[in-house]
Amino acid sequence: MLGLTGISSDMRDIDKAYNEGNPRAILARDMYYGRIKKFIGQYAAEMGGVDLIVFTGGVGENSCEMRESVCSGLEFMGVKFDRNANAGARGVDKILSAADSKVKIAVVATNEELVIATDTYNLVK
Amino acid sequence: MVILVLNCGSSSIKYQVIDMESASSKLLAKGLVERIGLAEGDLTHKPVGKEPFELHRPIPDHTTGIELVMEALTHPVHGVIRSLDEVKAVGHRVAHGGEFFPQSCLVNDDTKEKIRSLCQIAPLHNPASLEGIRAIDQVLPGVPQVTVFDTSFHQTIPAVNYMFALPYEYYEKYRVRKYGFHGTSHKFVAREGAKLAGLDFDRSKIITCHIGNGGSVTAVLNGKSYDTSMGFSPLDGLVMGTRCGQVDASAITFIGDKEGMSFAELDTLMNKKSGVLGLTGISSDMRDIDKAYNEGNPRAILARDMYYGRIKKFIGQYAAEMGGVDLIVFTGGVGENSCEMRESVCSGLEFMGVKFDRNANAGACWV
């Protein structure tokens, strides 16, 4: 993001520039979102389909725009996104797919520290 | 109107002579000049309906090679035209048209200068094309020439798909971006495939897989290239005969550093020593890999699985990019002949509406 825009590596700064119509921010954000979608398509083909798409991480847990953009256009493989469920979903664990979506979509807050503590506990107890 | 089609490599010339005004674009002859500039060269000439002809002698440059081709074409025994005057035009395959050539182009001084300026980003391909153009200037003076670029069809790819996430200045300074290749083939088979499948080409989502010595996959959206797997050079994307395809660039810099390789050596590593040859140590030819696969050779099994798997990955990716797919087309030496490849690549895609017909596939195989 930084290299493409010259602005910042932080998506929030890119979102701001995007909303101001900055062409390089628009290109960079479109590439950022687009590439996530490409990997979803690729991995669905590798696995012979997909049952659940999970978003996590700083941007995954907080950017409604990113999740909506990435999940758009995937109806052909059974994805039905729920824009209402997605709106305002920040820092929570939630299902974002429509009730009748073949593919479930979820946002889950990550917790690597808990996993580390658990592994540590299991190895030392 | 008889047209000579040339595809010049650094030490080779592939040619075909086609009569465009006969009932069905009739092929009159085809052939290959090889080992230009080496101790001894070869001409293999195949006139349609006549005995093939071979010649072995030193061929110092492309001009000499073209002269020998012209002699073969007008030869009383194995020729197919009575005189050079019958060749009304020459069409050249040129690998790289950069952003200058979104279409094929009549050759003039400006065309030559632009192709020459592109030699910087296509050092393995464009210089040979220029040699071919200069050779025709000498051997067939005044005959119009046309350049047809591998990259032209892909000039409709949008920036979101052609830009790399590198500092923007490298696009501005050097035009570093994805170009894509095999454009002429992808365009042709997308259109022919749409006809075969009864689709409206201008309102369709097609994925074309040109799998030959080199290979690439293209997403064709409403008749235009929307994305493709080769990149700045023909190196990117699929696992190929000797090319690595997609790879984390940091693995390359690590190897280069550890082995003390120059950039040129790294380039040779990625382009000539990788792919199925690099993985197996056996061969770059898929028929040899198939043989080793069937003998249970573990590295041949790995390499073939990677080769097939990567084609499937691009199909999934491009379906997601286009919001679905209406038609998948296979072409190229391997695409047209390998039943196993097509069956493997199409397996497991039922979730996106693919139903493969194994019977239809059987028999459209290696002869």
Side-chain angles (χ1 to χ4, degrees):
Chain A
M1 301 306 284
L2 177 65
L4 280 168
T5 62
I7 295 170
S8 166
S9 59
D10 189 311
M11 271 315 280
R12 288 164 292 191
D13 298 331
I14 304 303
D15 283 340
K16 185 165 171 294
Y18 181 101
N19 292 327
E20 288 163 2
N22 179 312
R24 276 168 51 179
I26 293 171
L27 170 68
R29 198 173 96 166
D30 288 351
M31 286 174 65
Y32 184 101
Y33 291 179
R35 201 163 302 173
I36 300 166
K37 185 187 303 216
K38 291 179 194 202
F39 277 102
I40 289 175
Q42 179 181 319
Y43 293 157
E46 283 184 42
M47 294 195 293
V50 57
D51 302 314
L52 168 65
I53 299 169
V54 184
F55 290 95
T56 195
V59 178
E61 293 165 40
N62 291 292
S63 174
C64 299
E65 294 90 349
M66 183 276 282
R67 296 187 302 241
E68 179 171 349
S69 172
V70 165
C71 293
S72 69
L74 299 181
E75 293 77 16
F76 79 98
M77 45 185 257
V79 168
K80 260 181 154 180
F81 192 72
D82 184 342
R83 299 186 68 213
N84 289 327
N86 184 48
R90 295 198 163 81
V92 287
D93 288 5
K94 202 174 173 198
I95 293 289
L96 304 179
S97 44
D100 62 337
S101 180
K102 190 160 165 289
V103 179
K104 302 265 178 283
I105 304 168
V107 56
V108 172
T110 200
N111 197 338
E112 291 164 90
E113 289 81 0
L114 179 60
V115 177
I116 291 166
T118 306
D119 282 4
T120 304
Y121 178 73
N122 287 331
L123 284 168
V124 301
K125 74 173 183 206
Chain B
M1 179 189 289
V2 171
I3 296 190
L4 172 65
V5 175
L6 294 181
N7 182 352
C8 294
S10 53
S11 61
S12 64
I13 301 167
K14 247 200 300 204
Y15 66 91
Q16 285 196 13
V17 179
I18 299 174
D19 182 352
M20 293 302 292
E21 278 156 2
S22 77
S24 59
S25 304
K26 199 166 65 160
L27 177 69
L28 299 179
K30 65 182 188 181
L32 180 58
V33 179
E34 284 181 294
R35 312 217 276 195
I36 296 172
L38 298 182
E40 188 162 274
D42 315 297
L43 163 67
T44 310
H45 173 68
K46 297 179 178 173
V48 173
K50 293 185 176 187
E51 285 303 301
F53 168 73
E54 274 182 37
L55 178 60
H56 304 282
R57 50 155 279 186
I59 305 174
D61 50 37
H62 285 73
T63 303
T64 308
I66 300 280
E67 282 167 349
L68 292 173
V69 171
M70 293 302 134
E71 276 174 33
L73 290 175
T74 53
H75 194 272
V77 176
H78 49 257
V80 294
I81 54 177
R82 266 168 304 223
S83 86
L84 292 189
D85 295 340
E86 285 185 51
V87 177
K88 294 304 180 194
V90 181
H92 296 265
R93 179 200 183 177
V94 182
H96 216 314
E99 291 180 340
F100 295 129
F101 299 105
Q103 309 225 38
S104 302
C105 193
L106 271 167
V107 175
N108 55 29
D109 287 338
D110 181 61
T111 319
K112 290 177 193 170
E113 179 44 38
K114 292 193 163 110
I115 294 172
R116 199 206 53 74
S117 75
L118 290 166
C119 288
Q120 209 201 147
I121 59 175
L124 297 177
H125 299 95
N126 278 25
S129 302
L130 277 176
E131 283 296 309
I133 292 168
R134 290 183 188 128
I136 294 294
D137 280 339
Q138 291 205 38
V139 178
L140 295 175
V143 170
Q145 305 192 58
V146 170
T147 43
V148 178
F149 300 90
D150 262 41
T151 48
S152 291
F153 181 54
H154 300 302
Q155 280 293 294
T156 53
I157 292 177
V160 69
N161 289 337
Y162 73 65
M163 287 296 289
F164 299 133
L166 293 172
Y168 195 82
E169 65 179 287
Y170 299 117
Y171 170 71
E172 287 175 316
K173 273 166 54 170
Y174 305 116
R175 291 288 179 255
V176 169
R177 52 163 279 182
K178 172 185 296 193
Y179 286 99
F181 299 87
H182 294 143
T184 311
S185 180
H186 285 293
K187 179 170 153 185
F188 178 77
V189 302
R191 206 180 262 283
E192 292 299 302
K195 265 192 257 174
L196 196 59
L199 289 182
D200 179 359
F201 184 61
D202 298 315
R203 241 177 289 282
S204 61
K205 298 169 178 150
I206 302 176
I207 297 174
T208 51
C209 307
H210 178 116
I211 317 294
N213 279 330
S216 64
V217 181
T218 296
V220 184
L221 181 60
N222 299 331
K224 296 184 162 61
S225 178
Y226 186 69
D227 202 350
T228 193
S229 61
M230 280 180 173
F232 176 68
S233 81
L235 178 64
D236 204 7
L238 299 180
V239 176
M240 300 180 223
T242 62
R243 292 183 195 132
C244 57
Q246 198 168 66
V247 64
D248 176 353
S250 68
I252 303 302
T253 52
F254 177 84
I255 291 168
D257 188 45
K258 276 277 179 266
E259 300 274 301
M261 291 170 132
S262 67
F263 290 125
E265 285 168 324
L266 276 175
D267 202 72
T268 300
L269 169 73
M270 293 187 290
N271 268 296
K272 304 267 169 69
K273 298 186 179 179
S274 295
V276 297
L277 174 67
L279 280 168
T280 63
I282 294 170
S283 169
S284 60
D285 189 313
M286 276 316 278
R287 285 165 293 190
D288 298 329
I289 303 304
D290 281 342
K291 186 165 171 292
Y293 182 100
N294 292 328
E295 288 162 1
N297 179 314
R299 277 169 49 182
I301 293 170
L302 171 68
R304 198 173 96 165
D305 287 352
M306 287 175 64
Y307 185 101
Y308 290 178
R310 200 160 303 169
I311 300 166
K312 185 188 300 213
K313 291 179 194 203
F314 276 102
I315 290 176
Q317 179 182 321
Y318 292 160
E321 283 184 42
M322 294 194 290
V325 59
D326 302 316
L327 168 66
I328 299 168
V329 185
F330 290 96
T331 194
V334 178
E336 290 167 42
N337 290 292
S338 175
C339 299
E340 295 90 348
M341 183 276 281
R342 297 186 302 241
E343 179 171 350
S344 174
V345 166
C346 293
S347 67
L349 299 181
E350 294 77 16
F351 79 97
M352 45 184 257
V354 170
K355 259 178 153 181
F356 193 71
D357 183 345
R358 300 187 70 212
N359 288 327
N361 186 48
C365 303
W366 296 111
V367 173

